[in-house]
Amino acid sequence: SLLTFWDLPTTVQFTIEALPSSAAEGKDVLLRACNISETIQAYYWHKGKTAEGSPLIAGYLIDVQVNIPGTAYSGRETIYSNGSLLFQNVTLEDAGSYTLRTINANYDSDQATGQLHVHQNNVPGLPVGAVAGIVTGVLVGVALVAALVCFLLLARTGSIRRDLREQRPPASTPGHGPSHRYAFSAPLPGPRTATPLYEVSVGHGCSGPTGPKGPRIYSQQHLAELRFRKTQ
């Protein structure tokens, strides 16, 4: 007997891949359909984990090559002839699950689900860690400058106070007068510069230091004349 062997055709399940896997807000994202059968006649994209009960974004008919918008269509979605879905200018609200349902020539239906991830847009060219490090460095620098300025102001204020304290005369103690450091006194006259108030006359009828009428009081001019006469 002759045995004939043949391989039965197998159907490969198609998948959905997001490019990029995580997009920044405002960028474009492609939900690419992989391993699509050549017998597919129509594509239908839904926003949700399954096609059943999820709002329709848009459909694509291969025969006429036209996009048919659905209730969840925002004007930023485009379906290509290979079943891929392009999202333009994605937002944070666009993140979530998306399901592609296909219809083949025999009107058989199949579906696959993919994920769209969207994150907030950061500073171009700098990762989040670098931005946080820059902000921290700026704050630390501002704090150091403020501390230095305060230190200089306090040091200058203290120096001014010390100068004023040294220049200010000390307060005098009650009953004792001002300190000897700042008191000004006239020099005392020496014994040779002292001016006698009176001088006892010698002679002129007087028998001793005191005459009958007591000591005679002379003025300075008279005393000078008497001294001059004695030298003569």
Side-chain angles (χ1 to χ4, degrees):
S1 61
L2 179 62
L3 298 178
T4 304
F5 298 91
W6 68 91
D7 294 331
L8 295 176
T10 58
T11 303
V12 179
Q13 177 65 36
F14 69 91
T15 58
I16 305 299
E17 179 185 10
L19 298 175
S21 58
S22 180
E25 188 176 10
K27 300 297 183 178
D28 297 344
V29 179
L30 178 67
L31 295 178
R32 186 175 67 176
C34 304
N35 301 324
I36 294 294
S37 174
E38 296 180 355
T39 62
I40 300 301
Q41 300 296 314
Y43 302 104
Y44 298 94
W45 277 95
H46 298 262
K47 187 174 183 179
K49 294 182 179 181
T50 61
E52 292 77 10
S54 297
L56 177 66
I57 298 174
Y60 184 85
L61 302 178
I62 294 178
D63 291 342
V64 294
Q65 298 182 356
V66 63
N67 280 268
I68 303 174
T71 57
Y73 182 73
S74 65
R76 297 177 292 115
E77 301 87 358
T78 302
I79 302 178
Y80 294 110
S81 59
N82 61 357
S84 299
L85 176 65
L86 175 66
F87 266 99
Q88 293 178 322
N89 193 21
V90 295
T91 64
L92 296 176
E93 290 75 15
D94 293 330
S97 300
Y98 290 86
T99 299
L100 172 61
R101 182 168 63 94
T102 61
I103 303 295
N104 60 18
N106 298 325
Y107 299 100
D108 294 327
S109 176
D110 198 3
Q111 62 183 4
T113 302
Q115 294 291 327
L116 175 60
H117 300 282
V118 182
H119 60 266
Q120 289 183 346
N121 194 11
N122 298 320
V123 179
L126 292 177
V128 177
V131 175
I134 292 174
V135 173
T136 303
V138 171
L139 293 178
V140 171
V142 171
L144 290 176
V145 172
L148 180 60
V149 171
C150 292
F151 175 77
L152 294 177
L153 290 177
L154 291 176
R156 182 175 179 82
T157 303
S159 177
I160 294 175
R161 289 180 178 177
R162 285 194 299 270
D163 294 342
L164 292 177
R165 192 180 297 112
E166 291 177 358
Q167 295 176 4
R168 183 184 305 167
S172 60
T173 304
H176 296 282
S179 173
H180 67 279
R181 181 179 178 182
Y182 295 94
F184 297 93
S185 58
L188 297 176
R192 294 183 179 180
T193 60
T195 303
L197 298 179
Y198 65 89
E199 183 173 329
V200 178
S201 62
V202 179
H204 302 283
C206 296
S207 59
T210 56
K213 296 182 181 180
R216 295 181 181 180
I217 300 174
Y218 295 91
S219 65
Q220 293 183 0
Q221 182 177 2
H222 289 168
L223 291 175
E225 293 178 355
L226 290 176
R227 291 193 186 99
F228 178 75
R229 290 175 184 179
K230 289 178 181 181
T231 57
Q232 298 295 326

